[in-house]
Amino acid sequence: MARRLVPLPAPTPVRDRSAFHGRRAVARVVLAAMILLGGCDSGGGRGEVVRFWGLGREGEVVRELVTDFERSHPGITVVVQQIPWSAAHEQLLTAFVGGSTPDVAQVGNTWIPELAALGAVAPLDAHVAASPVVHQSDHFEGIWDTNVVDGVLCGIPWYVDTRVVFYRSDLLAAIGVTAFPRTWSAWLQAMRRLAAGGNARYAILLPTDDWTPPVILGLGRGASLLRDGDRYGHFQEPAFAEAFSFYLRMFREGLAPALANTQLANMYQQMAEGQFAMHITGPWNLGEFRRRFPPQLAHAWATAPIPAPDGAPWPGASLAGGASLVVFARSRHVGAAWRLVEYLSEPRTQLRFFELTGDLPAHRGAWDDPRLRGDPRVAAFWEQLQHARPTPKVPEWEQIATRVWRAAESAIRGQASPEQALASLDRDVDRILAKRRFLLERRKARP
């Protein structure tokens, strides 16, 4: 993704229509648009018409890919609708309520648990079992796992992302660090040396409104984040508390500035100027760093997998992100829709998609291309993707993620002790998951 996923609004079960009152005006407009689009997609002699919703830049690019698909499948026409990431979640829910979902859509893989809970997407296990193209073994384990909800495969990875460390290799070389640290203790030591006299004002940028760094560190330490079948928060467990302490130390020792994303003027320029030497981010920034760093620093930056806690195997864990392809349960063209998913999953199609977007392929076979495996900056992502872990697969995760950074920020700014921040976080998460506990208990009580 690879684009940064836009946080989802609070997930809303369809039965609770009152929660949609605040969105009625938007819903009416969107539903009207869906009806008009549905009227235009009746076929008209074009054989089967498969409607595809693509998000952001990917929705624009996929039009170039489906031309070849239609040529090799003359009985199928693909109608592509491009939707902005910022509007996609709202439109998906509205389309589901109105019975006007597309046949296939690109979705952020953290959205899949919500769509599965609504019964919006078709199970794909049988399709994969019979497919000559899509095999679980061809995908990164952690990324594939994001698409499995309650043991059912609900989506197929389309492109992948995870987080690694982007860093100024010249600044580390100046303090004698030629290979990026592999352990937390070595990483901390390098950051201290950078801040003490390594021509960097701060060693690392960790925006205070970004939940991903503390969660990545927690996953690397083996934290579960939730407990009891994802019914309660588990952020006070020793594994996460240890990772949280390591995270806070970077602020308390002055290694990271206590700045939110909204307080950054230009991250690329600031990193080029040496205001900080490291940043944990995703593959979308490979192209941005190449474009935005000044020519004299073109070879002065590199990427590395996340260091591991001392005594743990390298590299540490990181997030399993990206976007997936789902087939909607109400599709009247499931067979044709699945053939489109197979085509978009083929290594040659994924390589073409990579050329057009820079998004990293989900199919491991595509990584044999030297443009991927032969680029050391991309190779760090290949290594990290072997150790990517999904966040808890609950519809409420986006709400929980927001509470994570708020709790972390309260500790960073001294408004709460680490223990108080994590206790408050668990209480918030328990409240968020109250409806989940109720529904699970109700399901358990059924005869």
Side-chain angles (χ1 to χ4, degrees), residues 1 3 15 34 75 121-122 130 145 157 163 168 176 180 205 220 240 268 271 274 288 301 319 333 353 397 413:
M1 50 252 185
R3 296 289 183 270
R15 296 175 191 167
M34 295 300 126
V121 292
D145 190 37
R163 305 296 199 276
R168 286 283 302 274
F180 197 82
L205 173 66
F240 191 86
Y268 309 98
M271 192 162 176
E288 294 299 320
W301 64 276
L319 299 175
H333 308 284
F353 190 57
W397 172 252
R413 301 193 184 282

Side-chain angles (χ1 to χ4, degrees), residues 181-206:
R182 292 192 167 202
T183 65
W184 282 8
S185 60
W187 190 19
L188 186 62
Q189 183 61 30
M191 286 191 282
R192 287 168 173 162
R193 291 169 63 187
L194 276 168
N199 297 322
R201 183 178 179 187
Y202 293 100
I204 190 168
L205 173 66
L206 300 168

Side-chain angles (χ1 to χ4, degrees), residues 208-209 248 257-260 263 408-416:
T208 58
D209 54 352
L248 293 178
L259 295 175
Q263 296 174 293
E409 187 172 46
S410 70
I412 290 166
R413 301 193 184 282
Q415 298 164 349

Side-chain angles (χ1 to χ4, degrees), residues 105-116:
Q106 165 198 357
V107 301
N109 57 16
T110 58
W111 300 5
I112 289 179
E114 180 180 10
L115 295 174

